Amino acid sequence: MSELAAVLPGVLEKAGWSVPGGLVPVLAMFICASIVAAAMGLSAAVLVWAERKLAGHFQCRLGPVYVGGKFGWLQSIADGIKLLLKEDIIPADADRPLFRLAPYLVVLGVFLAFIAFPVSEKLMVADLNIGIFFILAVLTLEVFGVILAGWASNNKWALLGAMRAAAQMVSYEIPMGLAILPVVVEAQSLSLKSIVAAQSGGMLRWYVFQPPFFMGVSFLIFFLAGLASLKRAPFDLPEAESELTAGFHTEYSGMRFSFFFMAEYAGMILVSGLAAALYLGGWHGILPGQSGAMWFLLKTAFLVFVMIWLRWTLPRLRIDQVVYVGWKVLTPFVLACVLGQALMAYK
Amino acid sequence: MTAVRTYFSDVFMGLWTALVGMSITLRYLFSKPVTEMYPDVKPRTPTRYRGIHVFEEEKCIGCYVCAKACPVDCIEIGVVRKGKEIKITKFDIDYQKCMFCDLCCEPCPAHCIHMGPEFEKASFTRKGTILQFATPKTLTEEEKKVEKVARK
Amino acid sequence: MVAVEKDVRTDELVINMGPQHPSTHGVLRVVLKTDGEMCLDAQPDIGYLHRCAEKIAENLPYGQFVPYTDRMDYVSGMGCNMGYCMAVEQVAGIQVPERGEWLRVIVTELNRIASHLLAFGTYGLDTGAITPFLYGFRERELVLDLLEMLCGARLTYSYIRIGGVDGDVPPEFMDKLKEFLDIFPKKIREYNKLLTYNHIFMKRTVGVGVLPADVAIAYGVTGPCLRGSGVRQDVRRDEPYSVYPKLEFDVPVGTDEHGPIGDAWNRYYIRIRELEESAKILRQCVKMISPGPVLAEKVGRVKPPAGAEAYTRSENARGELGFYIVSDGTMTPARVKVRAPSFSNISVLPAIVRGQMLADVVAIIGSLDIVLGEIDR
Ligand code: SF4
Ligand code: SF4
């Protein structure tokens, strides 16, 4: 953003507009925000299509085929238009202000997190010196939205879904946060830029492949905990459709529903991107010297693919099992990793 | 000790069986889908398919046997008899009721009603689901008097 | 499941599950009493699909009721056809020709495969795995194609008629059947890898909803649910009808290999094993069937003597299907009573869900594999 703020006055002058100097950072902020929002919406749309198409082929089906030619490219646009045009129903007994607020909170959490999203060395809204910490912190905002949605709907299924979401978030925030620690210890920084920079020089320098694989294990844990915090299968209990009809968003329809949807898909990109940056060398290529946004996007896409793949393969856990896995499996393992990495750093 | 062993074997089995499952789904990702492109490509129904009836009016002798055999009474037949001459004035099947059971076709003495291959007869109105198989005829006054319409 | 001790008393939450709910397998309504995620009580409430089938039977000539039996257990219509026709044949004293019996067994076993594949798929759905459902349907499609080739319908067959079956097989049927039987075992192995032995799936179902053998018998549970509890009961073997005495097949029962006998996993696994057994029966049928007439001669209008009555038992995909017919000497029966296996099977639900988690309730209902059309009739 600072680069944008630096070049912006020149661009504006060429266009023949004069803007008072004090307004330039504000303008830059607006531009960045709209770019992030647009990218988020667009990538969510692409992902929805990709998920449906992949799900189809995983199941020997075809997925969308009609809208926009042979492969149904425009399916999610059509879906989006349909959702926009749909009637926005608020249940009679719902807590109206909270019911309306909830979807925005959910989207806001993911949206804010994209600010520190390290696409490449240049393509990054803000290189915060506490980048990861910031992302984890704002991502937790999402759960407030979910709980609010469940509570405000005044529906028993929604409430149960929200309570599950709360239990799940509490259990998985911890392994997720801890899983980052080995990387932070190794890179000696909380800034995503410097963490990625520390992994330059080919595939073997990526943190996942660093013996003795403390970071490799913590990558796995980060990924699983990320799945759980996104409420993706096999941890999709808050919206488990076979038990809770649709969980916390049972009562939502139209645009508000699509906000939850968008947040989920944007969240998938976020968690995958974060994992790619932390453990898979971010924008660095497989061979030394290669780098660029392309690599980062490729890795992110691969991780997103794995998420989709998992969802269309595995059954769902039960809530007590989810909490068990969070506390008794992931947390001890990740603690061991942190300890190991710290001892290595100490030597 | 067994608790420790089950703990680790659970963790291992959880990951391993997930991988096994993923290998299966991955294989199908690249195999040919089995989808039938139904409205674009119409499926070929087998010869015995029990779809919308086929009625051969010229053979029908208006004996009502089919209407009697029908469990849901959805066939309505109108006949005008003049000596040996038989005129089928009405042969309606109500497809809101019909359950495509084939019971009407078997007892027909003239073998003139069969189950056909057609199955697309959805309609937006209730009336549209009643198919009229007999060719429309204008009846003389005298014929109208002797016309017999029966359901069962 | 251990009882959780609490020092805070909280209110119970009464949840209405169904009649429109994704995993009640139709229009079943279950009134759940829950304490958080724990289920304290569940009362199934049935009757949303009641169509007076038994009363209709009293008003129709015997032969015309056959299509209605399709719509009782609509997932295995052939079994219902067969049960009803056997009962009518018994009251009216009709002999079915040999080939007719063979064809009946072939179609009912094929239909059992189709039905169990549906049970397998929907059970995957109940536990959250969506893909096995589609895989199950892919193979079910092959079976339905076979049945369609034979009788022209995919779900409501009415193929079995009083006195035999409706028409001999088309010439290419047997080859297609053999083809299917060749690829089928491979698919079953795949299901096992994908779902049966998936660790998450096992964690979800092993030890869940344990139905002890004595409780099962007390509630009149039959079919795979009873066999899952370790009771080797199968009408095809215990009281053989049709040509079953000539066939060799196993009756799989639940084991304690992975967890307690009678849990949801066992009930589910019995169905997978029965897929294999049905395939085995079909292979024997293909070899042993001989040409001949398929329909008894001069069945015409069935008019049993007054006062004649019969009760026949047959093994449907869901359990023991009984038809009781009383004749009053007219063209229509005086009374038809159906003993529907799903009806008894669902009655055991309250006894086994207490103290389970909410997600387990779904897993238990799924493992009972009920068909609402048959419960309500
Ligand atoms: S197919 Fe069956 S229901 Fe339909 S008209 Fe014929 S006898 Fe009646
Ligand atoms: S049974 Fe055949 S001949 Fe008689 S009325 Fe029906 S279609 Fe016509």
Side-chain angles (χ1 to χ4, degrees), chain A residues 130-291:
Chain A
I130 49 159
I132 323 168
F133 186 68
F134 171 77
I135 290 184
L136 285 188
V138 291
L139 256 186
T140 36
L141 261 184
E142 197 191 337
V143 73
F144 286 109
V146 170
I147 295 173
L148 262 190
W151 177 257
S153 307
N154 207 352
N155 174 312
K156 287 169 183 170
W157 298 117
L159 181 66
L160 274 172
M163 289 303 115
R164 282 183 176 186
Q168 196 168 313
M169 291 293 165
V170 171
S171 325
Y172 282 84
E173 278 304 311
I174 292 164
M176 195 169 170
L178 284 174
I180 290 171
L181 278 189
V183 173
V184 174
V185 169
E186 181 72 20
Q188 309 266 329
S189 166
L190 277 171
S191 144
L192 278 166
K193 200 171 186 175
S194 32
I195 288 175
V196 176
Q199 301 180 54
S200 68
M203 197 167 154
L204 292 178
R205 296 272 299 151
W206 297 356
Y207 280 161
V208 239
F209 300 120
Q210 299 280 303
F213 299 111
F214 287 128
M215 282 182 286
V217 175
S218 54
F219 163 68
L220 208 66
I221 292 170
F222 179 84
F223 190 69
L224 287 178
L227 276 181
S229 70
L230 289 173
K231 306 178 283 295
R232 290 281 303 181
F235 304 105
D236 56 348
L237 296 107
E239 46 195 290
E241 75 281 342
S242 61
E243 297 141 31
L244 304 182
T245 54
F248 63 89
H249 56 58
T250 307
E251 295 288 358
Y252 281 86
S253 58
M255 204 52 215
R256 281 176 221 283
F257 166 73
S258 74
F259 271 20
F260 286 113
F261 217 59
M262 200 160 88
E264 180 183 333
Y265 284 96
M268 273 166 76
I269 297 178
L270 191 80
V271 168
S272 307
L274 217 58
L278 289 174
Y279 306 95
L280 300 180
W283 54 75
H284 296 300
I286 288 175
L287 297 174
Q290 287 174 327
S291 84

Side-chain angles (χ1 to χ4, degrees), chain A residues 58 156 164 242-243 312 316, chain C residues 14 21 23 37 127 131 135:
Chain A
F58 274 131
K156 287 169 183 170
R164 282 183 176 186
S242 61
E243 297 141 31
W312 298 104
R316 179 186 306 123
Chain C
V14 179
H21 186 277
S23 49
E37 285 273 339
T127 51
T131 304
Y135 290 175

Side-chain angles (χ1 to χ4, degrees), chain B residues 14-28:
Chain B
L15 290 174
W16 173 247
T17 52
L19 285 179
V20 170
M22 283 165 82
S23 72
I24 291 175
T25 41
L26 188 68
R27 204 169 62 236
Y28 282 114

Side-chain angles (χ1 to χ4, degrees), chain B residues 36-146:
Chain B
E36 277 179 28
M37 302 297 290
Y38 160 56
D40 299 344
V41 185
K42 272 191 96 182
R44 276 193 43 217
T45 48
T47 38
R48 287 195 191 174
Y49 189 76
R50 304 210 306 252
I52 303 285
H53 297 78
V54 174
F55 177 58
E56 296 167 66
E57 193 183 328
E58 60 288 358
K59 280 206 232 159
C60 178
I61 53 171
C63 64
Y64 305 119
V65 168
C66 53
K68 279 190 196 122
C70 174
V72 288
D73 307 342
C74 62
I75 308 179
E76 201 172 325
I77 304 169
V79 202
V80 172
R81 265 176 233 276
K82 261 193 284 173
K84 283 242 162 139
E85 198 186 321
I86 299 162
K87 233 186 207 174
I88 305 294
T89 53
K90 188 173 193 181
F91 197 96
D92 294 358
I93 298 184
D94 182 352
Y95 284 100
Q96 279 176 67
K97 289 184 189 162
C98 176
M99 51 187 178
F100 301 99
C101 61
D102 194 19
L103 288 184
C104 51
C105 311
E106 281 158 28
C108 174
H111 300 290
C112 62
I113 178 163
H114 318 280
M115 306 301 283
E118 199 51 48
F119 56 89
E120 287 169 319
K121 278 286 183 289
S123 161
F124 284 105
T125 57
R126 274 166 202 269
K127 267 214 138 138
T129 57
I130 302 175
L131 291 196
Q132 295 167 345
F133 288 93
T135 43
K137 300 175 184 76
T138 39
L139 298 182
T140 58
E141 281 305 311
E142 183 198 351
E143 279 173 338
K144 262 182 199 160
K145 263 181 229 152
V146 290

Side-chain angles (χ1 to χ4, degrees), chain A residues 2-141:
Chain A
S2 45
E3 283 94 355
L4 185 65
V7 296
L8 205 55
V11 176
L12 285 174
E13 216 162 281
K14 260 196 200 142
W17 294 336
S18 66
V19 177
L23 269 186
V24 167
V26 180
L27 200 60
M29 241 186 297
F30 268 113
I31 293 175
C32 284
S34 19
I35 290 173
V36 170
M40 199 172 112
L42 201 68
S43 54
V46 172
L47 255 192
V48 172
W49 171 79
E51 166 132 46
R52 290 182 57 176
K53 199 77 196 165
L54 278 172
H57 283 275
F58 274 131
Q59 301 174 338
C60 298
R61 295 184 292 121
L62 283 170
V65 279
Y66 287 115
V67 192
K70 195 161 181 285
F71 299 104
W73 296 109
L74 299 178
Q75 184 67 44
S76 29
I77 307 288
D79 284 353
I81 293 172
K82 184 199 78 177
L83 282 172
L84 266 174
L85 294 180
K86 262 188 146 176
E87 188 188 354
D88 177 27
I89 301 166
I90 300 180
D93 287 340
D95 190 331
R96 296 180 79 92
L98 293 186
F99 188 83
R100 290 188 176 170
L101 177 67
Y104 303 118
L105 262 186
V106 171
V107 172
L108 186 74
V110 183
F111 177 66
L112 280 181
F114 267 99
I115 289 176
F117 199 58
V119 180
S120 82
E121 233 162 329
K122 295 272 159 54
L123 265 175
M124 193 174 186
V125 179
D127 172 30
L128 306 174
N129 56 354
I130 49 159
I132 323 168
F133 186 68
F134 171 77
I135 290 184
L136 285 188
V138 291
L139 256 186
T140 36
L141 261 184

